[in-house]
Amino acid sequence: MAWFVLEMRYVDEDARQRARSRHLEYLRGLAADGRLVAAGPWVGSDGSLTVYEVPTVAEAQALLAADPYVTDGVTEVLSLREWKPVVRREA
């Protein structure tokens, strides 16, 4: 499996508040089935970081496209890139 790092910027705060519960439910589902490593907002900022663990960039793009923050126009995608960590904390 590959890791894909997504960086987004919030563009509509009102839409964000309306979509937030559906967005979090969606992300929790991805985490439960192993496709989401971590996600959350930058502290004191207007954006977020998400890390997917999926086989291809096409699958990462599909997960992103189905996110309520994307479908409801809450965010602008700044980047979606494959990341290859070479040093990780031991479990």
Side-chain angles (χ1 to χ4, degrees):
M1 290 285 197
W3 284 20
F4 294 90
V5 177
L6 166 68
E7 186 174 1
M8 297 191 297
R9 181 178 65 181
Y10 305 129
V11 295
D12 186 333
E13 188 59 34
D14 291 336
R16 181 180 176 211
Q17 295 307 315
R18 289 189 303 271
R20 189 166 193 271
S21 63
R22 289 181 291 117
H23 166 72
L24 292 174
E25 181 179 338
Y26 177 71
L27 293 180
R28 287 182 185 115
L30 296 179
D33 69 18
R35 295 182 288 172
L36 179 73
V37 176
W42 296 113
V43 174
S45 182
D46 62 350
S48 65
L49 183 80
T50 302
V51 181
Y52 300 116
E53 185 174 12
V54 293
T56 66
V57 69
E59 186 167 343
Q61 290 167 331
L63 295 177
L64 172 60
D67 188 320
Y69 271 11
V70 173
T71 61
D72 289 15
V74 172
T75 59
E76 170 187 37
V77 174
L78 299 177
S79 67
L80 176 63
R81 300 173 57 176
E82 186 172 357
W83 181 44
K84 181 181 175 184
V86 295
V87 176
R88 293 173 50 180
R89 178 179 60 189
E90 295 296 321

